[in-house]
Amino acid sequence: GAVTTRTLTVAPREGHFSLREDWQVHELPALMQRYERALRRVDAGWLNAFGWCNIGVDAYFRDYFPRTNKLNRIVSVGGFSAEEFCRLVEVVNTNVPSGEIAAVEFNVSCHNVNFPFETILEDVLARAVPRSRHPVLLKLSPDFDYLAHARLAEQHGVAGVVVMNTIKGLRLDPDTGQPLLKNRFGGLSGRAIKPIGLRIVAELRDAGVRLPIIASAGVRTFDDCREYFWAGADAVS
């Protein structure tokens, strides 16, 4: 097993939440209001719009990576160009000897940052994957052409695919009609999307994709795991 980090970017990124760590007790209502604009419970799941809120890859390796050295880790990274992914891979290579983490996950499919990732995916894989000293996983989105992206992953030496990222969704305030989340749209996760995750795993296998698949959608019980394994997954998250 392994633990996957929050997606890390080249520079610290506030996203649609906050990087502040000095909240005082009297500010807790304001903090909770920020949470409500970035994360909401919905029917059978969660809708989030954190937007890659993170402290940046350099701060992660300085402050957090040494504190989790007893864990097997998958380091998730995200960027908006092949150059950024190459830089992220270089930082991981510099800080982690080969074999000391399970993999690097390329998140090239997040809805909450409002970017057309399909326009850069092939360039990212062609340039960044060969630079990595660690196995690379590609996180697929159900809202993009996941079969074509899995084919690109096979062509460019990716070690496996993660199925799946969240599904783009929307909730409105029933009193005002205004979006509940700061980004308007958010990523739906949880039990609600498990049937979609199972379908995508099965479709990838039916199409002849042979890469290892880590299934990640609505997994909570042993039976959830069995369903994903029957559908064709190799691991679950």
Side-chain angles (χ1 to χ4, degrees):
V3 175
T4 304
T5 68
R6 177 182 295 239
T7 295
L8 302 163
T9 51
V10 172
R13 181 181 169 88
E14 188 171 87
H16 306 298
F17 184 53
S18 174
L19 289 179
R20 278 188 58 189
E21 297 181 345
D22 60 347
W23 295 90
Q24 304 299 309
V25 173
H26 70 274
E27 295 180 295
L28 286 180
L31 176 60
M32 295 311 297
Q33 287 177 355
R34 283 180 177 255
Y35 260 115
E36 287 184 348
R37 299 288 282 157
L39 179 68
R40 288 292 185 116
R41 181 183 287 279
V42 295
D43 302 330
W46 293 88
L47 198 65
N48 93 84
F50 282 107
W52 282 355
C53 177
N54 77 102
I55 59 174
V57 68
D58 290 319
Y60 165 72
F61 278 109
R62 182 188 68 232
D63 299 336
Y64 288 91
F65 188 77
R67 293 159 53 185
T68 58
N69 56 11
K70 293 183 179 179
L71 300 175
N72 199 21
R73 291 154 290 188
I74 297 171
V75 177
S76 179
V77 297
F80 302 100
S81 67
E83 289 78 12
E84 287 191 24
F85 274 93
C86 288
R87 170 61 183 155
L88 289 160
V89 164
E90 289 171 3
V91 173
V92 177
N93 286 345
T94 299
N95 285 276
V96 189
S98 297
E100 287 201 7
I101 59 172
V104 178
E105 177 191 80
F106 282 15
N107 186 348
V108 201
S109 56
C110 177
H111 290 301
N112 298 326
V113 295
N114 308 317
F115 183 81
F117 287 106
E118 67 274 16
T119 63
I120 67 166
L121 177 62
E122 187 164 11
D123 195 27
V124 167
L125 297 181
R127 295 174 57 185
V129 172
R131 295 171 183 250
S132 179
R133 297 176 185 167
H134 309 279
V136 172
L137 304 173
L138 177 63
K139 192 171 190 179
L140 299 178
S141 167
D143 292 321
F144 298 122
D145 190 344
Y146 46 86
L147 179 55
H149 293 177
R151 296 284 193 217
L152 286 174
E154 288 182 313
Q155 293 172 24
H156 291 286
V158 170
V161 293
V162 178
V163 177
M164 57 190 192
N165 215 325
T166 56
I167 297 173
K168 191 175 185 178
L170 171 68
R171 283 296 304 271
L172 305 174
D173 187 312
D175 296 321
T176 66
Q178 295 301 305
L180 293 179
L181 297 181
K182 185 176 180 180
N183 192 47
R184 187 184 183 204
F185 299 113
L188 178 65
S189 62
R191 304 292 285 174
I193 67 171
K194 177 184 155 192
I196 299 171
L198 285 164
R199 171 179 64 83
I200 292 176
V201 170
E203 287 180 349
L204 292 174
R205 290 303 187 219
D206 290 347
V209 173
R210 301 180 64 85
L211 286 174
I213 295 175
I214 301 175
S216 177
V219 176
R220 187 183 286 180
T221 69
F222 176 74
D223 283 340
D224 296 331
C225 300
R226 289 205 301 176
E227 281 192 80
Y228 272 114
F229 295 143
W230 281 326
D234 299 278
V236 296
S237 173

